[in-house]
Amino acid sequence: MFTLSVNDHVMIAHSLPHEFFGPAQALHGATLAVEVTFTREELDEHCVVLDIGEALALLDEALTPLRYTNLDEHPDFAGRLSTSEAIAEYIGTDLSTSLADRPEIGITVHLRENPRAAVSYTVANRP
């Protein structure tokens, strides 16, 4: 198995309006560190998992609709809590759509909310 990881960050605002989330119920900002790992069983004809420049561009495209956005007002999060897990899934789904013509590439999104807490989401039905 071969892997390629690229990273970026995104600044968002959101609230998590349920008593379960304690102080995070109120509107607050967050800077999320995002790392995406692409995987392949075998390298492609160019001996890579995915071109690094393309991987960075795909991640940027996935993050652009979230940048400096209040996720409470984002249509893709309407009726859904914008937890770190849900944000990681959103990014993974977007990347999977962008790579629909290359289903052999696996995608895992690792999102770090703070130095002590991170979540990961692996897109299903991809190697």
Side-chain angles (χ1 to χ4, degrees):
M1 179 71 69
F2 295 91
T3 66
L4 165 67
S5 296
V6 295
N7 65 68
D8 201 342
H9 71 280
V10 63
M11 297 173 73
I12 56 107
H14 68 154
S15 61
L16 299 169
H18 189 284
E19 64 187 37
F20 175 84
F21 295 102
Q25 292 176 70
L27 182 65
H28 61 280
T31 300
L32 306 172
V34 181
E35 179 174 278
V36 177
T37 300
F38 299 97
T39 60
R40 287 180 80 119
E41 289 289 330
E42 301 292 331
L43 298 176
D44 72 5
E45 67 274 11
H46 305 289
C47 292
V48 299
V49 173
L50 181 65
D51 176 72
I52 293 171
E54 180 182 8
L56 287 166
L58 289 170
L59 179 55
D60 182 60
E61 288 171 18
L63 296 180
T64 293
L66 304 178
R67 292 188 196 282
Y68 304 104
T69 300
N70 180 350
L71 299 184
D72 296 349
E73 300 169 355
H74 193 288
D76 291 333
F77 290 94
R80 184 170 191 208
L81 293 171
S82 56
T83 61
S84 296
E85 293 87 343
I87 296 167
E89 180 183 31
Y90 170 91
I91 295 165
T93 300
D94 186 271
L95 291 168
S96 183
T97 300
S98 295
L99 290 170
D101 63 333
R102 290 175 272 180
E104 70 279 4
I105 298 176
I107 302 166
T108 298
V109 178
H110 185 76
L111 195 147
R112 182 160 296 281
E113 184 172 335
N114 67 54
R116 298 179 60 198
V119 302
S120 292
Y121 171 70
T122 299
V123 178
N125 301 318
R126 296 185 78 97

